[in-house]
Amino acid sequence: MNRRHPLQVRDGFHVEYGGSRLLRGMLSEALSKSLSEGMSCSAITRTGKTAVTKALEADFTAHRSALFIRRRCINYRERKVANPFLRRLRGSEGGPDAGDVHTNPMKAVKNHCLNECDKLDTETVVFCLDEAQNLSLEEFGALAVLTEALQALGLRPFVLLVGQPELKLLRDALLEWKRGELVSRWMGTHCDLPGFVLKDVSAICGALDQLTWPPGSGITYTQHYVPELWRAGWRMAGQ
């Protein structure tokens, strides 16, 4: 598959499956509770975690119900220093606070959240951190300071930690480091995402029978790649 193949997430192709419905439901329930500050979810690699977070970002953006900040946590040389993590949260977008990104990233993130929430007319900020098993104690600490500062400003920060099964080991490490309050705030509710089952594969095949390819052509993916079979009535959903 090349990078423009319709199954690639970057082209916006997403099909709901059991795991995504489970996470959506649990996230919706958690956000409905005024005292809830976060949740975590984990699954083995290649089971759709990142695709689900991108779909969630698209939904929140479309409905303007919350400021959704999705970032991927990576290992880098300065991960024991808080500022690089805060700069990643802020991003490189422009804005009146862009100059603070390098000199005062904590202030830059706070101002960014205030400005964007004002535009969306919402108090909710969802920090969706993918590959969260890579977070260091220093980064957790910076996130705690940031969320408390946002609460003091009248916003409602919510942390969604998404990662590999090793995320549970990080939970145990936080308890050993005497940071149980972070576990209670952001890992008290946990979701184990299931992998694909047969009906999920059927849903994906059915979507390919309806997806147009190339985009906007009015020709379905199935019709484009196997026109003779398509004219004879063959469909992916029937396989």
Side-chain angles (χ1 to χ4, degrees), residues 31 100 197 233:
L31 285 171
D100 291 323
V197 296

Side-chain angles (χ1 to χ4, degrees), residues 179-196:
R179 299 305 302 267
E181 78 282 2
L182 300 181
V183 173
S184 299
R185 289 170 64 180
W186 303 328
M187 296 181 171
T189 299
H190 184 80
C191 169
D192 286 309
L193 290 180
F196 293 108

Side-chain angles (χ1 to χ4, degrees), residues 19 35 41 61 98 100-101 124 150 160 165 167 213 223:
L35 297 180
C41 73
T61 301
D100 291 323
V101 173
T124 304
L150 292 177
L160 173 60
L167 185 59
W213 189 256
Q223 182 182 3

Side-chain angles (χ1 to χ4, degrees), residues 2 21 27 33 38 44 58 76 114 132 196 207:
N2 61 44
R21 285 188 290 270
L27 178 59
K33 299 176 181 178
I44 60 175
Y76 50 88
L114 281 171
F196 293 108

Side-chain angles (χ1 to χ4, degrees), residues 149-164:
L150 292 177
Q151 289 171 342
L153 293 171
L155 298 181
R156 188 212 172 172
F158 186 93
V159 176
L160 173 60
L161 301 175
V162 182
Q164 307 289 334

Side-chain angles (χ1 to χ4, degrees), residues 4-239:
R4 299 191 66 248
H5 192 283
L7 283 180
Q8 294 296 314
V9 173
R10 61 173 60 90
D11 288 320
F13 180 80
H14 178 73
V15 177
E16 284 287 327
Y17 74 104
S20 63
R21 285 188 290 270
L22 175 63
L23 179 55
R24 283 178 185 274
M26 293 185 68
L27 178 59
S28 176
E29 181 180 357
L31 285 171
S32 70
K33 299 176 181 178
S34 60
L35 297 180
S36 177
E37 295 185 48
M39 64 172 290
S40 60
C41 73
S42 61
I44 60 175
T45 186
R46 311 304 297 175
T47 50
K49 297 186 301 297
T50 300
V52 173
T53 62
K54 289 186 176 183
L56 288 172
E57 180 181 28
D59 285 351
F60 276 98
T61 301
H63 294 98
R64 300 172 65 87
S65 54
L67 172 61
F68 196 90
I69 298 177
R70 183 178 61 85
R71 297 291 185 267
R72 186 170 183 267
C73 303
I74 60 174
N75 286 312
Y76 50 88
R77 287 179 299 176
E78 296 179 300
R79 61 190 299 267
K80 290 194 174 183
V81 182
N83 281 354
F85 171 69
L86 293 170
R87 292 189 191 106
R88 288 181 62 82
L89 282 183
R90 169 58 178 83
S92 58
E93 302 91 346
D97 61 331
D100 291 323
V101 173
H102 292 286
T103 59
N104 192 340
M106 178 68 77
K107 177 182 176 182
V109 178
K110 289 190 295 184
N111 287 342
H112 177 68
C113 291
L114 281 171
N115 293 334
E116 295 304 311
C117 283
D118 184 59
K119 294 176 185 177
L120 296 172
D121 192 25
T122 182
E123 297 176 349
T124 304
V125 183
V126 177
F127 292 103
C128 177
L129 303 180
D130 197 4
E131 301 295 344
Q133 75 278 356
N134 291 326
L135 285 169
S136 67
L137 180 59
E138 289 76 13
E139 290 164 340
F140 265 110
L143 188 60
V145 173
L146 172 63
T147 53
E148 290 165 5
L150 292 177
Q151 289 171 342
L153 293 171
L155 298 181
R156 188 212 172 172
F158 186 93
V159 176
L160 173 60
L161 301 175
V162 182
Q164 307 289 334
E166 290 79 8
L167 185 59
K168 296 179 182 179
L169 298 179
L170 180 57
R171 176 185 183 278
D172 294 339
L174 287 171
L175 293 175
E176 290 182 7
W177 294 332
K178 311 299 183 184
R179 299 305 302 267
E181 78 282 2
L182 300 181
V183 173
S184 299
R185 289 170 64 180
W186 303 328
M187 296 181 171
T189 299
H190 184 80
C191 169
D192 286 309
L193 290 180
F196 293 108
V197 296
L198 184 58
K199 65 179 181 180
D200 297 326
V201 177
S202 297
I204 293 172
C205 290
L208 290 174
D209 288 330
Q210 301 177 36
L211 177 74
T212 58
W213 189 256
S217 66
I219 299 173
T220 68
Y221 175 86
T222 313
Q223 182 182 3
H224 177 84
Y225 282 97
V226 286
E228 293 183 4
L229 289 174
W230 183 85
R231 284 193 292 270
W234 184 90
R235 298 293 184 268
M236 286 284 289
Q239 304 310 303

